[in-house]
Amino acid sequence: MSNPNDNLPRHFLSLLDLTPEELHRLIRRAIELKRMLHEGESYTPLGNKTLAMVFEKSSTRTRVSFETGMTQLGGHALFLSPRDSQLGRGEPIEDSARVLSRMVDCIMIRTFEHEKIERFAAHSKVPVINALTDLLHPCQLLADMQTYLEHRGDIAGKTVTWIGDGNNMCHSYINAARQFNFKLNIACPEGYDPDDSILQPARDHCLIIRDPMEAATGADVLVTDVWASMGQEEEQLKREKAFRGYQVNDQLMAQANPDALFMHCLPAHRGEEVTASVIDRADSVVWEEAENRMHSQKALLEFLLCQD
Ligand code: CP
Ligand code: NVA
C-alpha cells in the first residue's frame, strides 16, 4: 500500500530538514558544481523548471545567487514582491501556496515570521526554500560550511565562536553545530540570547559565554552579524549600546587560533560588529563566502528538484 506521505515534497526551511549525511553530500556537490562552472562546463538539468522567489524583505546576495543559479542550471527564476503581487494585499498565505505551487517547480521565500513559511510549505505541492525568516537563515549556513571545508577541511570537532545577537544567523549556527558536529561558543549580551527552543536541543554542542574574549579563545572560526536585523531598524541606537564590546576586532581575532577564519553573512557594518581591519584583510574569506551562496544553492536546487 502506498504511503500518503510519499508524494509530499521535501522542503528546506531549516538545516534540520536534511540529514547530516545529506548536508555533507550537498556541500561536496556544491564544490563540484563550482569547479564545473569555473572550468566552463555547462550543466543544465533544470530546463523548463521555474523557481518563484518571494521577497518580503530586501536582498542582494540571496536574490542574485538564486536567480543566477537557476539560469546556470538551465531554468528560470521569477521575482515576486508583496508590493506588486496579491501577497501584499492580504491574499491568504495558504491560497498563494496552493496557486503558485500549481505553476512553478520550487518556491523560495524571504519573510518575517517563521510560522508563515511553515504554513506556506504545508500547502505547497512543490519544495519550499527558506531564504531567511526572523528565526533562521539556513541557506547562508550551506555557504559558510562550504567555505570552511574549502579553506580548512572538515569542521567536525572544531570550535566556532558566534559574537553578537542571538538572531536568525545565530540560530542557524546552532542548528549547524548539531548537524556538522562542531562546538559553538555564543557570546551575546544579556537580553539578546538565542531562542531557547533552538538552543536547548543543541546544548551538547553549544555554550553561552558572555565575555567575547573568553568565548573567542582557541576558536577556529569567529562569526558575527549586524546588531540590528531587518525589521529592527528602530532599535538601532539601543542595540549599538547593548552590543558595544561585542565587536570583532584585531584584539578579538588574536584570541582565536592563528589560522582562524572570520565569517560574516553580509551586509556588514564596519565600525559596529566588525572592524575594517578584520573584514578587509587580504586573506578575508567573506567574498568567497558570498559567492558560495550561489554554488551551494545550486546544489540545493539540484537536490530538491532532481531526485528520482
Ligand atoms: N547574506 C544575505 O542573505 O544577504 P542578502 O540579504 O543580500 O540576501
Ligand atoms: N540577521 C540579518 C541577516 C541578513 C542576511 C537580518 O535578518 O537582517
Side-chain angles (χ1 to χ4, degrees), residues 58-63 110 137 140 230 265-267 293:
S58 304
S59 168
T60 297
R61 278 145 289 269
T62 305
R63 177 176 178 183
R110 170 169 284 197
H137 193 7
Q140 182 67 48
M230 289 182 277
C265 62
L266 305 177
R293 292 291 305 278

Side-chain angles (χ1 to χ4, degrees), residues 93-94 112-120 133 135:
I93 198 80
E94 293 81 0
F112 292 85
E113 305 85 4
H114 190 74
E115 178 259 340
K116 197 165 169 183
I117 201 171
E118 286 181 333
R119 268 167 52 214
F120 192 103
T133 61
L135 191 72

